[in-house]
Amino acid sequence: MNTQILTTSQEDLHMAARIIRQGGLVAFPTETVYGLGGDAMNDEAVRKIYAVKGRPGDNPMIVHIAKASEAGQLTPHLGGATMSLIDSFWPGPLTLVLPKKATVPAATTGWLSTVAVRMPDHPAALALIRLSGCPLAAPSANLSGRPSPTKASHVVEDLDGKIDAIVAGEDCRVGIESTVLDMTGVSPAILRPGVITRRDIEAAIGCKVEIDPSLRRTEPDGEPAAFTGGEAALPAGGLAGASGEAAAFCPKSPGMKYKHYAPKARMIVLEGRQDRVKSAIDRLKKQDESLGNRVGVILFEENAFSEAAHAFFAKLRELDNQGVDLILAGALSDADGVGFAVMNRMMKAAGHAVIKV
Ligand code: TXA
Ligand code: MG
């Protein structure tokens, strides 16, 4: 398939909207990451999204709307707390999981009785939804398991030749995906952390917000890191050679159980005081390089959480493109703010392999 590369001009957005109305797929920028959009009410278009991404069929899509009133097409009623959240945060990077109307195709919501809804804070995304005249089902526009795309070039890398068009806008401002908040339980619960934090949400609705327990998980996906402790002996072949199998694991948001954001390289997170992390990274890098491995480093300024969010996925892809064998990443220390949201992605990218220093 020939993938058209479009701009964010009115003329090009009209062309993109025509493709969506005909059941085609168009990737487009949002403030968080690029999305791969199709008509959320068209079962066939949604099935194509799963197929193109290689996405498991039980992992539901977020449905994007351009006006809060359009949520009424998707969910039977909006409660008081939901209305307050919409007033406070839409358009913006907050996705609300709500009861689903029967008219929303089952494929869109991964056969769940709930639907995830968000209004993106991006002019081209909003214009595309408006011109298409339908809500857009849009997961992140990466192949399943790959880091989410924050630049048009990332989308081209993963999806060129597989979808009808890519609206190539600027790099995404936020850089990590929206906060997913479940509004269908006794208290609101964060299923996926993002730059709208628990504290922001609690301030807007004046009640306690839970954090899904699966987000506090610490055990590694594979074999426990035998090399925990910075001074421990290296496995044969260096850290780049160590690997493990994913363990069974069942969080409430289906997407959170899959191996995600995975760079091609083996990745390890170093956790501890910033000065110790820095010297451990230097030492381990030299050790692995002396064994002939290429080593990449991800280390953000202490407490520069928004900058880390903006840069993290792009950095993973950049290191992959350089062909490194091992990525050593410094953990951010943040209990439940933006740094916590970045750590959620970093730990998944590393398969929860951590060295405490
Ligand atoms: O920022 C974002 O949210 C981006 C942009 C494109 O809007 N989209 C995005 O979509 O990250 P995706 O499909 O990559 O992630 C959606 C997440 C998945 O973890 C999925 O399991 C969860 O939301 N989700 C969707 N519908 C759900 C539902 N009804 N109940 C629970 N979790 C749901
Ligand atoms: Mg995704």
Side-chain angles (χ1 to χ4, degrees):
M1 172 183 290
N2 176 37
T3 301
Q4 292 186 68
I5 308 293
L6 302 175
T7 68
T8 54
S9 71
Q10 279 305 304
E11 196 188 341
D12 278 13
L13 290 174
H14 273 282
M15 197 182 299
R18 220 166 17 243
I19 295 171
I20 297 275
R21 282 197 300 274
Q22 288 164 359
L25 303 187
V26 177
F28 61 96
T30 79
E31 81 281 30
T32 56
V33 302
Y34 275 76
L36 172 57
D39 179 352
M41 308 307 268
N42 176 340
D43 177 79
E44 228 172 274
V46 170
R47 284 173 193 269
K48 268 198 278 185
I49 298 179
Y50 286 100
V52 160
K53 277 184 61 98
R55 182 180 178 101
D58 68 346
N59 190 4
M61 314 270 160
I62 293 176
V63 180
H64 296 65
I65 57 178
K67 267 202 295 199
S69 58
E70 290 163 3
Q73 293 174 49
L74 308 168
T75 187
H77 55 83
L78 299 173
T82 301
M83 288 302 290
S84 305
L85 291 169
I86 289 175
D87 282 346
S88 302
F89 300 113
W90 281 7
L94 178 67
T95 295
L96 298 171
V97 174
L98 303 167
K100 163 189 169 309
K101 266 195 175 168
T103 42
V104 181
T108 303
T109 60
W111 282 262
L112 294 177
S113 59
T114 53
V115 59
V117 187
R118 117 169 171 93
M119 188 195 307
D121 184 17
H122 193 289
L126 293 170
L128 178 62
I129 300 165
R130 233 177 268 125
L131 293 170
S132 301
C134 58
L136 293 190
S140 47
N142 52 281
L143 292 176
S144 202
R146 297 274 299 137
S148 293
T150 59
K151 298 171 184 279
S153 60
H154 299 161
V155 182
V156 172
E157 244 168 46
D158 280 16
L159 299 179
D160 190 25
K162 300 189 171 82
I163 60 176
D164 299 285
I166 297 170
V167 175
E170 289 169 3
D171 296 356
C172 299
R173 174 166 54 81
V174 173
I176 56 172
E177 312 88 336
S178 60
T179 305
V180 176
L181 186 69
D182 182 8
M183 295 303 290
T184 65
V186 178
S187 341
I190 292 179
L191 305 182
R192 180 177 70 184
V195 297
I196 293 180
T197 64
R198 157 145 75 171
R199 212 170 307 158
D200 298 333
I201 298 167
E202 287 178 342
I205 54 178
C207 77
K208 200 167 158 33
V209 169
E210 306 293 329
I211 292 203
D212 193 71
S214 66
L215 299 177
R216 300 285 188 203
R217 165 173 189 255
T218 52
E219 73 276 19
D221 287 354
E223 86 287 358
F227 37 83
T228 44
E231 304 296 333
L234 278 178
L239 294 178
S243 69
E245 291 298 309
F249 166 59
C250 263
K252 195 160 179 206
S253 183
M256 302 305 274
K257 72 176 177 252
Y258 295 107
K259 191 165 159 66
H260 246 83
Y261 317 129
K264 292 169 197 141
R266 165 91 164 135
M267 179 165 162
I268 297 171
V269 175
L270 286 97
E271 207 176 76
R273 257 185 23 214
Q274 183 86 345
D275 54 335
R276 289 204 204 149
V277 165
K278 270 191 186 151
S279 57
I281 286 181
D282 281 348
R283 186 166 44 78
L284 293 174
K285 182 169 189 290
K286 282 198 195 104
Q287 280 180 2
D288 249 54
E289 282 174 348
S290 72
L291 294 167
N293 294 317
R294 276 166 302 176
V295 182
V297 171
I298 300 181
L299 195 56
F300 298 109
E301 292 291 317
E302 212 166 2
N303 300 326
F305 301 139
S306 302
E307 290 80 356
H310 177 74
F312 179 66
F313 285 134
K315 190 74 191 164
L316 282 185
R317 281 183 183 257
E318 184 191 314
L319 291 174
D320 261 350
N321 291 341
Q322 288 169 15
V324 302
D325 305 295
L326 172 68
I327 299 174
L328 298 171
L332 301 170
S333 160
D334 186 19
D336 56 9
V338 175
F340 172 69
V342 178
M343 282 314 295
N344 168 262
R345 278 68 177 184
M346 193 186 281
M347 294 302 266
K348 291 178 85 167
H352 293 84
V354 179
I355 297 180
K356 291 194 198 307
V357 295

